Amino acid sequence: MLVVDVDDLRIPGKTVTVVALTAISRALADYLAECGERPERLGTALPMALPAPSPARNNYRGLSIDLHVNEPDLRIRANLIADELAARRERALNPLLSAQDRVGEVVPAVLAVRDVDRADLDNVPATLDGNTVVSSVYRGPADLAFAGAPVLFTGGFPALGSVMHLTHGVHGIGETITLSVHSDPRVVPDPDRYLQLLAESLDAVVAAHR
């Protein structure tokens, strides 16, 4: 985990999520290059909370965001990521997608169970939403206590699976942001090095906007 003050990530006109995505794009590309696998393209799957009321505990839609690793200027890259994030959010709120969700709600349970049982969870599909998952959540003011002590930071570690072997959390509480990394050692054999690159990339993204 990297625990930083939110003031260290503030860039005029950019959200913390965009700053984090830009830093992740640089760190992941650099890490893969050090491993001898410089990527031509990287993307992330980003869960977006939906505003409409829902009985679901996790009412969200997944966004697929290109990280624009071919753009060397971090200011321009951040703008491209921000523009794509805005466009994907607008598309995710299309009423047709909500109508599609309602179809799934009326499928008989026996058919849903059958489809889950038949799902192939062991093989990697031909296409993926992204090379990593980034979950960004603001958890409100720093007014929580744990065992009688104030909560100073909060983190989260999105789950790994048969397809996803590297995930990130961007979690804020009060004026503190925590970036967390959850990885499979077969894919990220040196997580300490990756975390170091991530810290350096955060500094580089902020410095590029000054």
Side-chain angles (χ1 to χ4, degrees), residues 155-181:
F157 299 86
L160 304 179
S162 59
V163 171
M164 191 54 62
H165 300 274
L166 171 65
T167 65
H168 299 78
V170 183
H171 293 80
I173 187 167
E175 297 299 305
T176 302
I177 304 293
T178 302
L179 279 82
S180 58
V181 177

Side-chain angles (χ1 to χ4, degrees), residues 34-121:
E34 288 185 1
C35 295
E37 300 182 15
R38 176 167 288 282
E40 295 182 0
R41 183 181 181 188
L42 287 174
T44 184
L46 181 77
M48 183 197 79
L50 295 174
S54 170
R57 292 184 179 272
N58 288 313
N59 185 29
Y60 72 93
R61 202 178 304 286
L63 310 183
S64 183
I65 308 296
D66 192 324
L67 293 177
H68 298 280
V69 293
N70 287 328
E71 173 51 63
D73 188 316
L74 292 177
R75 286 176 62 97
I76 297 176
R77 188 187 298 186
N79 288 336
L80 291 171
I81 291 173
D83 290 345
E84 180 151 352
L85 182 55
R88 293 290 181 176
R89 278 175 171 160
E90 182 177 358
R91 182 182 299 180
L93 296 175
N94 190 302
L96 290 177
L97 292 178
S98 297
Q100 179 179 318
D101 293 340
R102 290 196 295 273
V103 172
E105 292 172 0
V106 298
V107 172
V110 63
L111 297 181
V113 170
R114 181 204 63 185
D115 290 345
V116 170
D117 288 340
R118 292 180 178 179
D120 184 0
L121 301 179

Side-chain angles (χ1 to χ4, degrees), residues 2-54:
L2 293 175
V3 181
V4 298
D5 192 292
V6 70
D7 287 335
D8 295 336
L9 298 183
R10 282 201 172 108
I11 295 174
K14 299 291 187 300
T15 64
V16 167
T17 300
V18 168
V19 174
L21 288 174
T22 308
I24 289 168
S25 75
R26 182 182 188 267
L28 186 53
D30 287 351
Y31 183 82
L32 291 172
E34 288 185 1
C35 295
E37 300 182 15
R38 176 167 288 282
E40 295 182 0
R41 183 181 181 188
L42 287 174
T44 184
L46 181 77
M48 183 197 79
L50 295 174
S54 170

